[in-house]
Protein backbone atom coordinates (compact mmCIF):
# COMPACT_ATOMS: atom_id res chain seq x y z
CA UNK A 1 0.00 0.00 0.00
CA UNK A 2 1.36 3.40 -0.96
CA UNK A 3 1.90 6.23 1.48
CA UNK A 4 -0.74 8.21 -0.38
CA UNK A 5 -3.34 5.46 0.11
CA UNK A 6 -2.48 5.26 3.80
CA UNK A 7 -2.94 9.00 4.18
CA UNK A 8 -6.33 8.87 2.40
CA UNK A 9 -7.56 6.06 4.68
CA UNK A 10 -6.49 7.92 7.81
CA UNK A 11 -8.15 11.11 6.58
CA UNK A 12 -11.42 9.32 5.81
CA UNK A 13 -11.40 7.67 9.26
CA UNK A 14 -10.86 11.04 10.92
CA UNK A 15 -13.75 12.60 8.98
CA UNK A 16 -16.04 9.71 9.96
CA UNK A 17 -15.26 10.19 13.64
CA UNK A 18 -15.89 13.96 13.34
CA UNK A 19 -19.20 13.34 11.58
CA UNK A 20 -20.38 10.93 14.28
CA UNK A 21 -19.24 13.26 17.01
CA UNK A 22 -21.04 16.16 15.31
CA UNK A 23 -24.25 14.13 15.07
CA UNK A 24 -23.95 13.26 18.77
CA UNK A 25 -23.45 16.89 19.74
CA UNK A 26 -26.34 17.92 17.52
CA UNK A 27 -28.65 15.50 19.30
CA UNK A 28 -27.44 16.72 22.69
CA UNK A 29 -28.08 20.35 21.81
CA UNK A 30 -31.43 19.60 20.17
CA UNK A 31 -32.82 17.77 23.17
CA UNK A 32 -30.99 19.55 25.99
CA UNK A 33 -33.65 22.30 26.16
CA UNK A 34 -36.69 22.28 28.34
CA UNK A 35 -39.57 19.94 27.61
CA UNK A 36 -43.04 20.39 29.07
CA UNK A 37 -44.50 17.47 30.96
CA UNK A 38 -47.96 16.32 29.97
CA UNK A 39 -49.04 16.76 33.58
CA UNK A 40 -51.47 19.45 34.70
CA UNK A 41 -51.79 21.02 38.13
CA UNK A 42 -53.90 18.09 39.33
CA UNK A 43 -52.10 15.27 37.55
CA UNK A 44 -49.04 13.40 38.79
CA UNK A 45 -46.33 13.45 36.11
CA UNK A 46 -44.97 10.05 35.11
CA UNK A 47 -41.82 10.00 37.17
CA UNK A 48 -40.33 8.41 40.22
CA UNK A 49 -37.00 9.21 41.89
CA UNK A 50 -35.65 5.90 40.63
CA UNK A 51 -36.54 6.71 37.01
CA UNK A 52 -33.66 9.16 36.59
CA UNK A 53 -30.69 7.31 35.05
CA UNK A 54 -27.31 7.47 36.71
CA UNK A 55 -24.57 9.32 34.86
CA UNK A 56 -21.77 8.01 37.02
CA UNK A 57 -19.50 10.76 38.22
CA UNK A 58 -21.19 13.39 36.03
CA UNK A 59 -23.63 15.39 38.13
CA UNK A 60 -27.04 16.06 36.63
CA UNK A 61 -27.89 19.76 36.73
CA UNK A 62 -30.20 22.33 35.22
CA UNK A 63 -29.36 25.96 34.52
CA UNK A 64 -31.99 28.60 35.17
CA UNK A 65 -31.60 32.15 33.89
CA UNK A 66 -34.04 34.73 35.20
CA UNK A 67 -34.74 38.39 34.56
CA UNK A 68 -37.09 40.88 36.14
CA UNK A 69 -39.89 43.11 34.89
CA UNK A 70 -40.62 43.30 31.16
CA UNK A 71 -42.72 45.92 29.33
CA UNK A 72 -41.87 46.04 25.61
CA UNK A 73 -43.45 49.43 24.98
CA UNK A 74 -47.15 50.29 24.67
CA UNK A 75 -49.60 51.59 22.09
CA UNK A 76 -52.07 52.75 24.75
CA UNK A 77 -53.07 55.47 25.45
CA UNK A 78 -50.44 56.79 23.00
CA UNK A 79 -47.85 55.23 20.70
CA UNK A 80 -44.63 54.31 22.52
CA UNK A 81 -43.23 51.52 20.40
CA UNK A 82 -39.85 51.22 18.66
CA UNK A 83 -39.54 51.49 14.90
CA UNK A 84 -37.84 48.09 14.88
CA UNK A 85 -39.01 45.68 17.63
CA UNK A 86 -35.68 43.81 17.49
CA UNK A 87 -33.93 46.76 19.13
CA UNK A 88 -35.81 45.97 22.35
CA UNK A 89 -33.50 43.02 22.96
CA UNK A 90 -30.04 43.79 21.54
CA UNK A 91 -28.00 40.87 20.28
CA UNK A 92 -25.36 41.48 22.96
CA UNK A 93 -28.03 40.83 25.60
CA UNK A 94 -29.59 37.90 23.76
CA UNK A 95 -26.25 36.12 23.69
CA UNK A 96 -26.20 36.10 27.51
CA UNK A 97 -29.73 34.70 27.61
CA UNK A 98 -28.63 31.57 25.77
CA UNK A 99 -27.53 28.21 27.20
CA UNK A 100 -30.27 28.03 29.82
CA UNK A 101 -32.53 25.06 30.41
CA UNK A 102 -35.17 27.49 31.66
CA UNK A 103 -35.22 31.18 30.74
CA UNK A 104 -37.73 33.08 32.90
CA UNK A 105 -39.03 36.64 33.13
CA UNK A 106 -41.91 38.67 34.61
CA UNK A 107 -44.15 39.98 31.81
CA UNK A 108 -45.93 43.17 32.89
CA UNK A 109 -47.91 44.07 29.80
CA UNK A 110 -50.71 42.59 27.72
CA UNK A 111 -50.40 41.21 24.20
CA UNK A 112 -53.76 42.13 22.72
CA UNK A 113 -55.58 44.36 20.27
CA UNK A 114 -58.55 44.75 22.62
CA UNK A 115 -59.45 48.47 22.58
CA UNK A 116 -60.82 48.92 26.08
CA UNK A 117 -58.70 49.12 29.22
CA UNK A 118 -60.04 47.80 32.51
CA UNK A 119 -58.26 50.64 34.34
CA UNK A 120 -59.12 54.29 34.83
CA UNK A 121 -55.80 55.77 33.77
CA UNK A 122 -57.03 59.30 34.52
CA UNK A 123 -56.28 58.53 38.15
CA UNK A 124 -52.81 59.33 39.39
CA UNK A 125 -50.20 56.55 39.25
CA UNK A 126 -52.55 54.25 37.31
CA UNK A 127 -51.07 52.79 34.13
CA UNK A 128 -52.31 50.39 31.48
CA UNK A 129 -49.90 48.75 29.04
CA UNK A 130 -50.78 47.12 25.73
CA UNK A 131 -48.16 45.65 23.40
CA UNK A 132 -48.62 44.18 19.90
CA UNK A 133 -49.44 40.43 19.91
CA UNK A 134 -46.61 39.86 17.40
CA UNK A 135 -44.12 40.71 20.14
CA UNK A 136 -44.65 37.23 21.58
CA UNK A 137 -42.41 35.91 18.83
CA UNK A 138 -39.70 38.38 19.82
CA UNK A 139 -39.40 36.76 23.24
CA UNK A 140 -39.62 33.26 21.82
CA UNK A 141 -36.71 34.03 19.49
CA UNK A 142 -34.72 35.37 22.45
CA UNK A 143 -35.16 31.99 24.13
CA UNK A 144 -37.75 32.61 26.83
CA UNK A 145 -39.42 29.43 28.07
CA UNK A 146 -41.64 30.76 30.88
CA UNK A 147 -43.11 34.20 31.57
CA UNK A 148 -44.91 35.08 34.78
CA UNK A 149 -48.32 36.72 34.31
CA UNK A 150 -49.32 36.95 38.00
CA UNK A 151 -48.87 40.69 38.46
CA UNK A 152 -50.72 44.01 38.40
CA UNK A 153 -50.61 44.59 34.62
CA UNK A 154 -51.61 41.40 32.82
CA UNK A 155 -55.29 42.29 33.42
CA UNK A 156 -54.87 45.89 32.15
CA UNK A 157 -57.29 45.07 29.32
CA UNK A 158 -59.60 42.83 31.31
CA UNK A 159 -60.26 39.17 30.83
CA UNK A 160 -60.20 39.53 27.03
CA UNK A 161 -56.72 41.04 27.11
CA UNK A 162 -55.58 38.46 29.66
CA UNK A 163 -56.74 35.52 27.55
CA UNK A 164 -55.17 37.08 24.45
CA UNK A 165 -51.86 37.47 26.28
CA UNK A 166 -51.79 33.85 27.40
CA UNK A 167 -52.90 32.61 23.96
CA UNK A 168 -50.31 34.66 22.09
CA UNK A 169 -47.44 33.66 24.36
CA UNK A 170 -48.31 29.99 24.29
CA UNK A 171 -48.76 30.08 20.49
CA UNK A 172 -45.15 31.26 20.35
CA UNK A 173 -44.07 28.34 22.58
CA UNK A 174 -43.79 30.28 25.85
CA UNK A 175 -45.46 28.86 28.95
CA UNK A 176 -47.30 31.23 31.28
CA UNK A 177 -46.92 31.03 35.05
CA UNK A 178 -49.07 32.30 37.91
CA UNK A 179 -52.54 31.05 37.10
CA UNK A 180 -54.73 30.29 40.13
CA UNK A 181 -53.88 26.87 41.63
CA UNK A 182 -51.43 26.20 38.80
CA UNK A 183 -48.34 24.06 39.15
CA UNK A 184 -46.38 24.16 35.90
CA UNK A 185 -44.58 20.86 35.43
CA UNK A 186 -41.59 20.83 33.11
CA UNK A 187 -38.62 18.59 32.41
CA UNK A 188 -35.06 19.48 31.53
CA UNK A 189 -32.08 17.14 31.28
CA UNK A 190 -34.41 14.33 32.46
CA UNK A 191 -35.01 16.21 35.73
CA UNK A 192 -38.68 16.86 36.66
CA UNK A 193 -39.24 20.51 37.59
CA UNK A 194 -42.23 22.34 39.05
CA UNK A 195 -42.83 26.09 38.94
CA UNK A 196 -45.42 28.12 40.87
CA UNK A 197 -46.14 31.84 40.56
CA UNK A 198 -47.47 34.05 43.37
CA UNK A 199 -48.48 37.68 43.73
CA UNK A 200 -50.55 39.80 46.11
CA UNK A 201 -53.92 39.48 44.35
CA UNK A 202 -56.52 36.76 44.98
CA UNK A 203 -57.15 36.43 41.25
CA UNK A 204 -53.84 34.54 41.16
CA UNK A 205 -51.98 32.46 43.75
CA UNK A 206 -51.73 34.92 46.63
CA UNK A 207 -48.76 35.42 48.95
CA UNK A 208 -51.30 36.39 51.62
CA UNK A 209 -52.73 32.86 51.76
CA UNK A 210 -49.80 30.97 53.23
CA UNK A 211 -51.76 27.79 53.84
CA UNK A 212 -52.77 27.50 50.17
CA UNK A 213 -49.24 28.44 49.06
CA UNK A 214 -47.71 25.75 51.24
CA UNK A 215 -50.16 23.16 49.91
CA UNK A 216 -49.13 23.96 46.33
CA UNK A 217 -45.41 23.72 47.15
CA UNK A 218 -45.90 20.41 48.96
CA UNK A 219 -47.82 18.97 46.02
CA UNK A 220 -45.14 20.20 43.63
CA UNK A 221 -42.35 18.69 45.72
CA UNK A 222 -44.11 15.33 45.76
CA UNK A 223 -44.23 15.30 41.99
CA UNK A 224 -40.95 16.92 40.95
CA UNK A 225 -37.30 16.99 41.92
CA UNK A 226 -36.88 20.78 41.77
CA UNK A 227 -39.46 23.41 42.81
CA UNK A 228 -39.04 27.01 41.65
CA UNK A 229 -41.22 29.76 43.14
CA UNK A 230 -41.81 33.11 41.47
CA UNK A 231 -43.08 35.93 43.68
CA UNK A 232 -44.24 39.46 42.88
CA UNK A 233 -43.97 41.04 46.32
CA UNK A 234 -43.01 44.39 47.84
CA UNK A 235 -43.28 48.14 47.40
CA UNK A 236 -41.87 49.84 44.31
CA UNK A 237 -39.16 52.31 43.35
CA UNK A 238 -35.88 53.61 44.69
CA UNK A 239 -37.34 53.99 48.19
CA UNK A 240 -38.02 50.23 48.21
CA UNK A 241 -34.48 48.92 47.75
CA UNK A 242 -34.23 47.15 51.08
CA UNK A 243 -35.64 43.81 52.19
CA UNK A 244 -37.57 44.19 55.43
CA UNK A 245 -39.13 41.54 57.62
CA UNK A 246 -42.50 43.28 57.65
CA UNK A 247 -45.54 43.86 55.47
CA UNK A 248 -44.93 46.44 52.76
CA UNK A 249 -47.52 48.85 51.35
CA UNK A 250 -47.60 50.74 48.08
CA UNK A 251 -50.28 53.38 47.46
CA UNK A 252 -52.37 51.72 50.13
CA UNK A 253 -52.03 48.20 48.73
CA UNK A 254 -50.78 45.37 50.93
CA UNK A 255 -47.77 44.13 48.99
CA UNK A 256 -46.85 41.35 51.43
CA UNK A 257 -43.82 40.39 53.50
CA UNK A 258 -41.30 39.05 51.00
CA UNK A 259 -38.82 37.72 53.56
CA UNK A 260 -41.44 35.79 55.52
CA UNK A 261 -43.09 34.38 52.41
CA UNK A 262 -39.85 33.33 50.70
CA UNK A 263 -38.44 31.58 53.75
CA UNK A 264 -41.67 29.73 54.44
CA UNK A 265 -41.73 28.51 50.84
CA UNK A 266 -38.22 27.11 51.24
CA UNK A 267 -39.14 25.58 54.60
CA UNK A 268 -41.99 23.87 52.76
CA UNK A 269 -39.83 22.48 49.95
CA UNK A 270 -38.99 25.16 47.36
CA UNK A 271 -35.45 25.11 45.93
CA UNK A 272 -35.23 28.58 44.36
CA UNK A 273 -37.14 31.85 44.86
CA UNK A 274 -37.26 34.42 42.06
CA UNK A 275 -38.60 37.82 43.18
CA UNK A 276 -39.76 40.72 41.03
CA UNK A 277 -42.08 43.71 41.09
CA UNK A 278 -40.25 46.41 43.13
CA UNK A 279 -38.66 47.69 39.86
CA UNK A 280 -35.26 47.85 41.56
CA UNK A 281 -32.81 45.08 42.47
CA UNK A 282 -32.88 43.83 46.04
CA UNK A 283 -30.50 41.80 48.15
CA UNK A 284 -30.11 38.04 47.84
CA UNK A 285 -29.59 35.46 50.53
CA UNK A 286 -28.83 31.77 50.79
CA UNK A 287 -31.37 30.31 53.20
CA UNK A 288 -30.98 26.64 54.10
CA UNK A 289 -28.74 26.24 51.07
CA UNK A 290 -31.26 27.76 48.66
CA UNK A 291 -31.02 31.12 46.86
CA UNK A 292 -33.66 33.79 47.42
CA UNK A 293 -33.45 36.63 44.91
CA UNK A 294 -35.77 39.21 46.48
CA UNK A 295 -36.03 41.33 43.34
CA UNK A 296 -34.39 41.07 39.93
CA UNK A 297 -35.22 44.69 39.03
CA UNK A 298 -36.40 46.00 35.66
CA UNK A 299 -35.22 44.16 32.57
CA UNK A 300 -37.04 45.91 29.71
CA UNK A 301 -39.30 48.95 29.94
CA UNK A 302 -39.30 50.73 26.60
CA UNK A 303 -40.53 54.28 27.32
CA UNK A 304 -42.70 52.95 30.14
CA UNK A 305 -40.55 52.16 33.19
CA UNK A 306 -38.44 54.70 35.05
CA UNK A 307 -34.70 54.48 34.39
CA UNK A 308 -33.42 56.94 36.98
CA UNK A 309 -30.88 55.86 39.60
CA UNK A 310 -31.28 52.22 40.69
CA UNK A 311 -34.35 51.61 38.50
CA UNK A 312 -31.86 51.28 35.61
CA UNK A 313 -29.80 48.65 37.45
CA UNK A 314 -30.68 45.20 36.17
CA UNK A 315 -29.36 41.67 35.85
CA UNK A 316 -29.59 38.24 34.36
CA UNK A 317 -29.43 35.83 37.28
CA UNK A 318 -27.94 32.45 36.44
CA UNK A 319 -28.47 29.56 38.87
CA UNK A 320 -27.30 25.99 38.43
CA UNK A 321 -29.08 23.35 40.56
CA UNK A 322 -28.49 19.60 40.72
CA UNK A 323 -31.13 16.89 40.49
CA UNK A 324 -31.57 16.93 44.28
CA UNK A 325 -32.42 20.63 44.30
CA UNK A 326 -29.05 21.65 45.73
CA UNK A 327 -27.27 24.80 44.61
CA UNK A 328 -24.23 24.08 42.43
CA UNK A 329 -23.30 27.60 41.33
CA UNK A 330 -24.78 31.01 40.60
CA UNK A 331 -23.75 34.34 39.15
CA UNK A 332 -25.04 37.79 38.29
CA UNK A 333 -24.69 39.03 34.72
CA UNK A 334 -24.98 42.82 35.18
CA UNK A 335 -27.33 44.76 32.90
CA UNK A 336 -28.08 48.48 32.71
CA UNK A 337 -31.12 50.09 31.06
CA UNK A 338 -30.55 53.07 28.78
CA UNK A 339 -32.81 56.13 28.89
CA UNK A 340 -35.37 54.41 26.69
CA UNK A 341 -35.49 51.39 28.97
CA UNK A 342 -33.59 49.05 26.64
CA UNK A 343 -31.21 46.61 28.39
CA UNK A 344 -27.45 46.68 27.75
CA UNK A 345 -24.75 44.44 29.22
CA UNK A 346 -23.07 46.60 31.87
CA UNK A 347 -19.28 46.62 31.60
CA UNK A 348 -19.11 48.69 34.81
CA UNK A 349 -20.76 45.95 36.91
CA UNK A 350 -22.94 48.53 38.67
CA UNK A 351 -25.59 45.99 39.69
CA UNK A 352 -22.92 43.80 41.29
CA UNK A 353 -21.72 46.75 43.38
CA UNK A 354 -25.28 47.60 44.37
CA UNK A 355 -26.04 44.04 45.44
CA UNK A 356 -22.88 43.87 47.53
CA UNK A 357 -24.03 46.98 49.37
CA UNK A 358 -27.60 45.70 49.79
CA UNK A 359 -26.45 42.27 50.98
CA UNK A 360 -24.13 43.81 53.56
CA UNK A 361 -26.85 46.15 54.77
CA UNK A 362 -29.87 43.81 54.78
CA UNK A 363 -28.16 40.51 55.64
CA UNK A 364 -24.93 41.42 57.48
CA UNK A 365 -24.55 37.89 58.87
CA UNK A 366 -25.24 36.18 55.55
CA UNK A 367 -23.01 33.40 54.22
CA UNK A 368 -23.45 34.72 50.68
CA UNK A 369 -20.77 36.80 48.99
CA UNK A 370 -20.42 38.16 45.45
CA UNK A 371 -16.95 38.31 43.90
CA UNK A 372 -15.72 40.84 41.35
CA UNK A 373 -16.86 38.60 38.49
CA UNK A 374 -20.43 38.61 39.76
CA UNK A 375 -20.17 35.01 40.94
CA UNK A 376 -22.16 34.13 44.04
CA UNK A 377 -20.00 32.41 46.65
CA UNK A 378 -21.57 30.48 49.52
CA UNK A 379 -19.18 30.66 52.46
CA UNK A 380 -20.92 27.93 54.46
CA UNK A 381 -22.75 25.11 52.75
CA UNK A 382 -24.72 24.00 55.83
CA UNK A 383 -28.43 23.67 55.06
CA UNK A 384 -29.90 23.33 58.55
Amino acid sequence: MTNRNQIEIVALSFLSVCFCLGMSLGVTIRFGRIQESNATATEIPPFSPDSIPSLGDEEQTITIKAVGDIIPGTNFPDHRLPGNPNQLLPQSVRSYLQEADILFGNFESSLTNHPYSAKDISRGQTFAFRSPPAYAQLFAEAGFDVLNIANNHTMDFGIVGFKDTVKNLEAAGIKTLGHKNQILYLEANQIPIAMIGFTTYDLYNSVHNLEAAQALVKEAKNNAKIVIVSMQVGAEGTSALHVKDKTEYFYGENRGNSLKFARIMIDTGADLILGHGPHVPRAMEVYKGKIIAYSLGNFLGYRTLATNAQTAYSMILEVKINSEGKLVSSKIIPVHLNRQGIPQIDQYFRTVGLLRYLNNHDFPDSNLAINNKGEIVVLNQETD
Side-chain angles (χ1 to χ4, degrees), residues 72 81-90 94 132 134-135 138 300:
L81 297 174
N84 179 1
N86 287 320
Q87 74 183 83
L88 294 171
L89 293 172
R94 293 190 191 204
Y135 281 15
L138 178 74
L300 169 63

Side-chain angles (χ1 to χ4, degrees), residues 14 194 229 264 377:
F14 176 76
V229 165
I264 288 176
V377 180

Side-chain angles (χ1 to χ4, degrees), residues 27-28 31-37 45-56 58-63 101-102 185-194 223-226 321-324:
V27 171
T28 301
F31 294 100
R33 289 287 293 172
I34 190 169
Q35 299 174 352
E36 184 187 14
S37 164
F47 118 94
S48 67
D50 296 330
S51 69
I52 298 178
S54 172
L55 296 180
E58 185 179 347
E59 185 176 37
Q60 284 183 296
T61 63
I62 63 165
T63 299
D101 296 302
I102 299 175
Y185 290 110
L186 305 164
E187 185 177 282
N189 299 339
Q190 298 181 303
I191 301 174
I193 304 154
N223 298 327
K225 281 291 211 176
I226 296 171
I321 300 175
N322 71 13
S323 59
E324 300 302 317

Side-chain angles (χ1 to χ4, degrees), residues 15-184:
L15 289 172
S16 298
V17 171
C18 289
F19 176 78
C20 294
L21 179 59
M23 289 292 291
S24 174
L25 286 173
V27 171
T28 301
I29 293 169
R30 173 66 179 84
F31 294 100
R33 289 287 293 172
I34 190 169
Q35 299 174 352
E36 184 187 14
S37 164
N38 292 324
T40 67
T42 56
E43 296 174 337
I44 298 177
F47 118 94
S48 67
D50 296 330
S51 69
I52 298 178
S54 172
L55 296 180
D57 293 333
E58 185 179 347
E59 185 176 37
Q60 284 183 296
T61 63
I62 63 165
T63 299
I64 302 106
K65 290 188 179 181
V67 301
D69 308 314
I70 297 170
I71 305 176
T74 183
N75 54 23
F76 182 91
D78 54 5
H79 187 87
R80 282 173 282 162
L81 297 174
N84 179 1
N86 287 320
Q87 74 183 83
L88 294 171
L89 293 172
Q91 187 58 46
S92 60
V93 173
R94 293 190 191 204
S95 64
Y96 282 92
L97 297 174
Q98 304 306 306
E99 299 179 359
D101 296 302
I102 299 175
L103 178 58
F104 167 87
N106 177 45
F107 192 75
E108 290 213 271
S109 185
S110 53
L111 295 170
T112 183
N113 292 318
H114 188 61
Y116 305 112
S117 174
K119 290 182 173 179
D120 180 4
I121 62 170
S122 66
R123 299 171 56 193
Q125 296 300 311
T126 301
F127 305 97
F129 302 121
R130 185 181 64 191
S131 307
Y135 281 15
Q137 192 60 36
L138 178 74
F139 294 100
E141 290 171 358
F144 281 91
D145 299 293
V146 181
L147 288 175
N148 175 69
I149 48 83
N151 55 54
N152 55 326
H153 286 291
T154 316
M155 289 288 292
D156 281 0
F157 285 79
I159 191 65
V160 174
F162 177 83
K163 288 182 177 180
D164 284 349
T165 301
V166 172
K167 178 187 69 176
N168 288 319
L169 286 172
E170 297 198 345
I174 299 172
K175 304 304 173 187
T176 53
L177 184 70
H179 301 272
K180 189 78 169 182
N181 298 320
Q182 177 204 30
I183 301 173
L184 178 62

